[in-house]
Amino acid sequence: MIWQIALRNLIKNGRRTIITITAIGIGGLAMMLFGGFVTSIFFGVQTSNIQDQGQLQVYKKDYLKFGAADPDSYTIDNYHNAMDAILADPELKQQIYVITPQVQLAGIAGVAATDNSKTFIGRGVVQEDADKMRKWDGWNVKVETPATGLAGSGSEGAIVGKGMARLLGLCKPLNIPNCEDPPNLVKPLSDEVVDFSDLVDSDLAQNSTEVTENQGPQINLLAAADGAPNIVSVFIKDMQSQAQRAIDNAFLMMHFDTARSLLYGEDPRATSLLIQLNNPNNVDQVKARIQQIIDKEQLNLEVFTFSEVDPTFNRIVGMFSFIFGVVSLFLGIVIIFTITNTINLTVMERVNEIGTIRALGFRRGFVMRMFISESALIGLFGVIMAILLTLVIANIINASQISWTPPSNATPILINLMVLENPLLLAGIVAFLFSLAVLAAIYPTRKASRMNIVSSLHHA
Amino acid sequence: MFRDENIRDYNPVSTSSHYSPNQEAPPNAESIAVFKDVEKEYVIDKYKFKALKGASCKIPKGEMTFLFGPSGSGKTTFLNLLGLLDQPTAGEIYLMGEKVSDFNDNRAADFRSKNIGFIFQSFNLISVLSVLENVEFPLLHDNINRSERRERAEHYLEAVGLGELINRNIGEISGGQRQRVAIARALVTNPALVIADEPTANLDIRTSQEIVDLMTDMKSKFKTSFVICTHDETLINEGSRLIHIVDGLLQDTGGLK
Ligand SMILES: Nc1ncnc2c1ncn2[C@@H]1O[C@H](COP(=O)(O)OP(=O)(O)OP(=O)(O)O)[C@@H](O)[C@H]1O
Ligand SMILES: [Mg+2]
C-alpha cells in the first residue's frame, strides 16, 4: 500500500512530478549520450589502433626502455624464428589473425628532382598484412583506417605524411588539395641537408627527375644501421595525413623489405612483430601465452599491448572518462536539488498526514519509507524516460552522419554513439540516477519523520 | 515495572464494571489509564506556561469518558499525553498497567499501534486512499495479508454503517461519513482505548449527535474504552463518565452524568 500511496501522490501532483522526472530524464539522457560517445571513442580509437598496430607487439627485451637511442641493438634478430615459434602453438594459431614484422627507421629523405631534403621517421610494413589488418573490425564499430596505399607499388613505393609532402615540395606533383609547396624549392630547407647524390646508384639517379604516372616522385632515403649509412630510392605514391603534426611532417611508410634491406641488408631483422587477434576480448590471455612461449624458447623478447607501447590511448580514455565524471557530477547535483526540492514540497504539504500516521502508531522508519518510495518511483520513471529519450536521440544522431576527428585520428570518423553496446555503463548510469533519487529523499524524509507529532497534527 | 494496586492487567474479555449514578468511580474499578500528578509545561520564548497542573485521575475501562472544559483549558494537552503523542514534564501516566510516560519514540509508537485508536476533529484521512484503504491502513503494522486486511476493514465499515461506500474516494463522501470512516479506522486494530479530540467540531448538530451515538454503540459492541473531549456539553450522553477541566486543573473526575 506504500507504493500505491506513493504513486497516487505522484499522480496527484502531476505537473511537479513530470518536471522532476524530466530533470532526471534529461540528465540521464545527457549522461547516456555522452557515455555512448565515450564508449564509441573507447572502441573506435582502440579499433583504429588495432587496425594500425594490432593488439600486441613483440619487441626485443628492453626495447621500450633503451631502444630509442640505439634501435639497432634492440632488433628482433631472426623474426622468422619468433613468428614460427608463436604460430607453432595451436591455440595461438587459432587466435592470431595477422602476425607481421615491422621495421621502424629514421633518416634523411631527399627529393631527387629538387635536392630538397629533410629528416624522416618511417615504418616498413608488409603491405598485404598491413592492409589486411586495416580491415579488422572486431567490435563492429565501423571505424575505417584507410589502406596503406602501398598495394601494387612494387617494392619501391612509399607514402608520406601530408606535412612531409608539403615540406618536400610534393604538393603539386602529388596533386594534394589545400597544400602549398615551399616558395624556394631548390634551396635546402634545413641545415641537416646532406648532399648524398653521389652515393646513389647512377641508374636510379638518372630516372629520378620525372614524375611518372605509375611511380610518383622519387625520393632518396639515407639511413644508417650499426654505424653504416645506406641509401635507397623510393617513389612516393601518395600522401596520408597523420594525426600529430610533428609526425605528419616527417612521416614515411614503405615496404618492409625495402626498409629492412636499407638498414640490415640481407639480415632477417625487424624492429617488432605486430600481432592482430580475431577476438579483441582475450588479449590478456593471448599475451600471457605468447610471453610464455617466448620465454620457453629463450628468444629474449617481450610482448606488449598497444597501449603499453603508446599510452596515448589510455590518456584519451582517461580524459574523456574524467570529463564524463565531471559532467555526471554536476548533473547529479542538479538532479539531487530537484528531487530534494520536490520531496520537501511533498513533505510540507503532508505534515498533517505525517502526524496522523505517526499517531496511528507507525514508527519514523515507516514515514521515511513512504516518502523514499515516492522518490524511488520518481527515479524509476526518470530512468525509464532517460532510456527512451536516449534510444530515440542516439538513433537520430547516429543516422544523421555527423563526423568528428578524435585526437588520435588524422581523418574524421562518423559519430556512432554506442549506448546499448555498453550495457555496463548503461546499468551504471541507471543505478547512479536511481540511487540519487533515493539518496536525495533521505534528508527531507528524515526531517519529516522526526517532526513533533503533536505540532504536525495541528498543522492545517 | 511499577504496579499500582488499582491498576490491573488489561483483560479485553472482562466486562466493564457497573457504577451507580452520581458517584465517584469505586477505587477498585478497573482503569484503562491512571494519571498521577501529571504536569505539562510549555515553553514559549523562555516564558513557561503550565497547561496541565498536577492532574491525577483514573479513566475507567470499557466506558465512555468525556473530557469537557472551555477553550484553552488543557483538553488537547491531556489527550496528547493520554495518547502517548507527547510526554509530561512531571508526573506519571499508566496505561493498561504499564508506565508509559517515559516511553521512547519507538516504544510509544508500538504501544499506540497496538492499544490506541485516534479520532481527530478534521478526520485526518489519507486523501489518496479510498474509504476501504483508509481503514485497512493501520493494519499495515501487522503483516496481515491483503485479503484479511480487507475483510477486517469491511467488517468495521459495516459496523459504522458505511458498507455501501467502501470503494468511494475520501473526497466523495460527506463530513459525517468521513468521521465514520475515521471511527472504523480507529477501531480496526481492536484497540483498548480510543481517543477522540473534538470529533464533532466540524459537523452539524444532528450529525454530531449521530457520531456520538455511534461511538457509544461501538464502545458497547467492541468493549472499547473511549475518551472524548468536547466543549459542547449537550453531546454528553447519559451514563457517561465526566472529567471537567478548567485552566489545566481537573475537577469532578469520574462522575457520571
Ligand atoms: N505547543 C504549545 N506550546 C505552547 N502552548 C501551548 C501549546 N499547546 C497548547 N498550549 C497552551 O496550553 C493551553 C491548553 O491548550 P489545549 O490545546 O490543551 O487547550 P484545549 O482545551 O484543547 O482548547 P480548545 O478547546 O481550544 O482546543 C492553552 O493555553 C494553549 O495556548
Ligand atoms: Mg483542543
PDB file of all heavy atoms in Angstrom, chain A residues 458, chain B residues 71-77 79 121 197-198 229 231, ligand 2:
ATOM      1  N   HIS A 458      -1.375  19.499  14.386  1.00  0.00           N
ATOM      2  CA  HIS A 458      -2.059  20.789  14.419  1.00  0.00           C
ATOM      3  C   HIS A 458      -1.843  21.591  13.153  1.00  0.00           C
ATOM      4  O   HIS A 458      -2.420  22.639  12.966  1.00  0.00           O
ATOM      5  CB  HIS A 458      -1.617  21.588  15.649  1.00  0.00           C
ATOM      6  CG  HIS A 458      -2.260  21.093  16.885  1.00  0.00           C
ATOM      7  ND1 HIS A 458      -3.112  21.831  17.655  1.00  0.00           N
ATOM      8  CD2 HIS A 458      -2.218  19.870  17.478  1.00  0.00           C
ATOM      9  CE1 HIS A 458      -3.548  21.102  18.663  1.00  0.00           C
ATOM     10  NE2 HIS A 458      -3.001  19.905  18.570  1.00  0.00           N
TER      11      HIS A 458
ATOM     12  N   SER B  71     -12.429  26.466  26.070  1.00  0.00           N
ATOM     13  CA  SER B  71     -11.297  26.505  25.158  1.00  0.00           C
ATOM     14  C   SER B  71     -10.037  26.933  25.887  1.00  0.00           C
ATOM     15  O   SER B  71     -10.069  27.830  26.723  1.00  0.00           O
ATOM     16  CB  SER B  71     -11.613  27.467  24.019  1.00  0.00           C
ATOM     17  OG  SER B  71     -10.586  27.428  23.073  1.00  0.00           O
ATOM     18  N   GLY B  72      -8.951  26.271  25.611  1.00  0.00           N
ATOM     19  CA  GLY B  72      -7.680  26.617  26.241  1.00  0.00           C
ATOM     20  C   GLY B  72      -7.515  26.046  27.622  1.00  0.00           C
ATOM     21  O   GLY B  72      -6.532  26.322  28.314  1.00  0.00           O
ATOM     22  N   SER B  73      -8.450  25.181  28.048  1.00  0.00           N
ATOM     23  CA  SER B  73      -8.378  24.671  29.407  1.00  0.00           C
ATOM     24  C   SER B  73      -7.368  23.525  29.545  1.00  0.00           C
ATOM     25  O   SER B  73      -7.014  23.145  30.652  1.00  0.00           O
ATOM     26  CB  SER B  73      -9.770  24.208  29.851  1.00  0.00           C
ATOM     27  OG  SER B  73     -10.267  23.251  28.939  1.00  0.00           O
ATOM     28  N   GLY B  74      -6.935  22.946  28.408  1.00  0.00           N
ATOM     29  CA  GLY B  74      -5.938  21.878  28.504  1.00  0.00           C
ATOM     30  C   GLY B  74      -6.445  20.522  28.061  1.00  0.00           C
ATOM     31  O   GLY B  74      -5.789  19.506  28.298  1.00  0.00           O
ATOM     32  N   LYS B  75      -7.573  20.478  27.369  1.00  0.00           N
ATOM     33  CA  LYS B  75      -8.155  19.195  26.959  1.00  0.00           C
ATOM     34  C   LYS B  75      -7.229  18.459  25.983  1.00  0.00           C
ATOM     35  O   LYS B  75      -6.911  17.286  26.168  1.00  0.00           O
ATOM     36  CB  LYS B  75      -9.529  19.429  26.288  1.00  0.00           C
ATOM     37  CG  LYS B  75     -10.556  20.107  27.170  1.00  0.00           C
ATOM     38  CD  LYS B  75     -11.908  20.211  26.495  1.00  0.00           C
ATOM     39  CE  LYS B  75     -11.916  21.100  25.266  1.00  0.00           C
ATOM     40  NZ  LYS B  75     -11.693  22.547  25.549  1.00  0.00           N
ATOM     41  N   THR B  76      -6.825  19.195  24.949  1.00  0.00           N
ATOM     42  CA  THR B  76      -5.965  18.562  23.948  1.00  0.00           C
ATOM     43  C   THR B  76      -4.639  18.133  24.570  1.00  0.00           C
ATOM     44  O   THR B  76      -4.130  17.038  24.302  1.00  0.00           O
ATOM     45  CB  THR B  76      -5.741  19.535  22.780  1.00  0.00           C
ATOM     46  OG1 THR B  76      -7.003  19.818  22.190  1.00  0.00           O
ATOM     47  CG2 THR B  76      -4.815  18.944  21.740  1.00  0.00           C
ATOM     48  N   THR B  77      -4.135  18.982  25.451  1.00  0.00           N
ATOM     49  CA  THR B  77      -2.904  18.641  26.147  1.00  0.00           C
ATOM     50  C   THR B  77      -3.056  17.321  26.890  1.00  0.00           C
ATOM     51  O   THR B  77      -2.207  16.425  26.808  1.00  0.00           O
ATOM     52  CB  THR B  77      -2.542  19.769  27.128  1.00  0.00           C
ATOM     53  OG1 THR B  77      -2.436  20.980  26.395  1.00  0.00           O
ATOM     54  CG2 THR B  77      -1.248  19.483  27.847  1.00  0.00           C
ATOM     55  N   LEU B  79      -5.236  14.899  26.318  1.00  0.00           N
ATOM     56  CA  LEU B  79      -5.399  13.759  25.405  1.00  0.00           C
ATOM     57  C   LEU B  79      -4.081  13.375  24.730  1.00  0.00           C
ATOM     58  O   LEU B  79      -3.815  12.203  24.488  1.00  0.00           O
ATOM     59  CB  LEU B  79      -6.452  14.071  24.329  1.00  0.00           C
ATOM     60  CG  LEU B  79      -7.897  14.148  24.806  1.00  0.00           C
ATOM     61  CD1 LEU B  79      -8.849  14.212  23.612  1.00  0.00           C
ATOM     62  CD2 LEU B  79      -8.264  12.950  25.678  1.00  0.00           C
ATOM     63  N   GLN B 121     -10.486  15.832  15.000  1.00  0.00           N
ATOM     64  CA  GLN B 121     -11.501  16.826  14.688  1.00  0.00           C
ATOM     65  C   GLN B 121     -11.696  16.937  13.170  1.00  0.00           C
ATOM     66  O   GLN B 121     -12.824  16.982  12.683  1.00  0.00           O
ATOM     67  CB  GLN B 121     -11.066  18.169  15.275  1.00  0.00           C
ATOM     68  CG  GLN B 121     -12.006  19.301  14.945  1.00  0.00           C
ATOM     69  CD  GLN B 121     -11.523  20.596  15.587  1.00  0.00           C
ATOM     70  OE1 GLN B 121     -10.819  20.581  16.579  1.00  0.00           O
ATOM     71  NE2 GLN B 121     -11.913  21.716  15.014  1.00  0.00           N
ATOM     72  N   ASP B 197     -10.446  13.773  19.907  1.00  0.00           N
ATOM     73  CA  ASP B 197     -10.316  15.184  20.279  1.00  0.00           C
ATOM     74  C   ASP B 197     -11.272  16.004  19.433  1.00  0.00           C
ATOM     75  O   ASP B 197     -11.075  16.154  18.236  1.00  0.00           O
ATOM     76  CB  ASP B 197      -8.864  15.633  20.051  1.00  0.00           C
ATOM     77  CG  ASP B 197      -8.595  17.012  20.652  1.00  0.00           C
ATOM     78  OD1 ASP B 197      -9.561  17.658  21.125  1.00  0.00           O
ATOM     79  OD2 ASP B 197      -7.425  17.428  20.637  1.00  0.00           O
ATOM     80  N   GLU B 198     -12.316  16.486  20.062  1.00  0.00           N
ATOM     81  CA  GLU B 198     -13.338  17.269  19.373  1.00  0.00           C
ATOM     82  C   GLU B 198     -13.803  16.598  18.084  1.00  0.00           C
ATOM     83  O   GLU B 198     -13.748  17.180  17.007  1.00  0.00           O
ATOM     84  CB  GLU B 198     -12.799  18.668  19.015  1.00  0.00           C
ATOM     85  CG  GLU B 198     -12.087  19.357  20.159  1.00  0.00           C
ATOM     86  CD  GLU B 198     -12.969  20.365  20.887  1.00  0.00           C
ATOM     87  OE1 GLU B 198     -14.200  20.388  20.611  1.00  0.00           O
ATOM     88  OE2 GLU B 198     -12.444  21.102  21.730  1.00  0.00           O
ATOM     89  N   CYS B 229     -13.038  14.392  24.002  1.00  0.00           N
ATOM     90  CA  CYS B 229     -13.081  15.728  24.562  1.00  0.00           C
ATOM     91  C   CYS B 229     -13.959  16.617  23.714  1.00  0.00           C
ATOM     92  O   CYS B 229     -14.063  16.446  22.497  1.00  0.00           O
ATOM     93  CB  CYS B 229     -11.681  16.297  24.748  1.00  0.00           C
ATOM     94  SG  CYS B 229     -11.129  17.351  23.456  1.00  0.00           S
ATOM     95  N   HIS B 231     -16.236  20.674  23.944  1.00  0.00           N
ATOM     96  CA  HIS B 231     -16.672  21.777  24.793  1.00  0.00           C
ATOM     97  C   HIS B 231     -18.180  21.944  24.705  1.00  0.00           C
ATOM     98  O   HIS B 231     -18.752  22.904  25.189  1.00  0.00           O
ATOM     99  CB  HIS B 231     -15.931  23.081  24.450  1.00  0.00           C
ATOM    100  CG  HIS B 231     -15.946  23.406  22.997  1.00  0.00           C
ATOM    101  ND1 HIS B 231     -14.798  23.344  22.235  1.00  0.00           N
ATOM    102  CD2 HIS B 231     -16.936  23.787  22.176  1.00  0.00           C
ATOM    103  CE1 HIS B 231     -15.099  23.669  20.998  1.00  0.00           C
ATOM    104  NE2 HIS B 231     -16.400  23.943  20.937  1.00  0.00           N
TER     105      HIS B 231
HETATM  106 MG    MG C   2      -8.104  21.245  21.832  1.00  0.00          MG
END
